[in-house]
Amino acid sequence: MTVEELESKIIELFVKNARLGYGAAGFCALYLIFGSGAQLLCNIIGVLYPAYISIHAIESSTKEDDTKWLIYWVTFGIFTVIEFFSGVLTSVIPFYWLLKCAFLIWCMLPTGLNGSNIIYAKLVRPYFLKHHESVDKFIDDGMKKAAGVLKRD
């Protein structure tokens, strides 16, 4: 089964069971606003489905689905690092966990214009192309210094 087939089956399941889907979405939204452990629920939603679909993508024979989910994980990782260093956001922004969850769902939508693709194309890729040579040199220099330190011992 391809990743596209799996994603379409999941969408079909929610469409057929619209009441169940809306109920689950409503419950999750309320829990993300009022529940304790909202951070855990948000991170489960942002990791569990993408991880499962990523495994399917790895096992498939096509490259397109691999690229799609690699772009998601790059976006997720950057967002997680930004969130870590601006931890005050979680207490200042009302409904933070609901907004983050909505953002992550937008990033994983099964369309070409999902959040991950837009963020990657408009922000990450241009920045990477501009700075990757100097970052690569910095990493190589660091590895050489580390190797030199290890050889001395």
Side-chain angles (χ1 to χ4, degrees):
M1 176 181 303
T2 68
V3 174
E4 289 81 18
E5 291 171 342
L6 181 63
E7 287 177 339
S8 67
K9 282 187 178 189
I10 292 170
I11 292 170
E12 182 181 320
L13 176 69
F14 276 101
V15 170
K16 282 184 178 178
N17 301 308
R19 282 182 155 168
L20 179 64
Y22 289 132
F27 174 78
C28 284
L30 288 172
Y31 193 82
L32 288 167
I33 294 170
F34 300 112
S36 62
Q39 180 179 7
L40 177 63
L41 177 61
C42 181
N43 288 328
I44 286 171
I45 292 169
V47 171
L48 197 59
Y49 173 75
Y52 181 74
I53 295 297
S54 296
I55 293 169
H56 273 280
I58 291 167
E59 296 301 323
S60 74
S61 60
T62 62
K63 181 184 182 292
E64 293 80 29
D65 52 1
D66 298 358
T67 302
K68 174 185 173 180
W69 289 103
L70 278 171
I71 290 172
Y72 172 82
W73 289 114
V74 166
T75 306
F76 180 87
I78 290 170
F79 183 81
T80 302
V81 169
I82 291 169
E83 180 184 51
F84 176 79
F85 286 109
S86 59
V88 73
L89 291 177
T90 61
S91 60
V92 175
I93 297 175
F95 314 120
Y96 178 80
W97 298 113
L98 177 63
L99 295 172
K100 178 184 176 183
C101 191
F103 169 77
L104 292 175
I105 290 170
W106 175 59
C107 285
M108 67 176 88
L109 286 176
T111 66
L113 290 176
N114 67 30
S116 295
N117 286 340
I118 292 169
I119 291 168
Y120 183 79
K122 302 261 185 204
L123 299 172
V124 176
R125 187 170 190 273
Y127 189 82
F128 172 78
L129 292 175
K130 183 177 180 182
H131 298 287
H132 80 90
E133 290 175 358
S134 59
V135 172
D136 289 348
K137 184 179 179 334
F138 178 78
I139 291 171
D140 288 343
D141 291 346
M143 295 294 284
K144 288 176 186 173
K145 287 179 183 176
V149 168
L150 292 174
K151 285 182 182 179
R152 285 189 229 164
D153 293 338

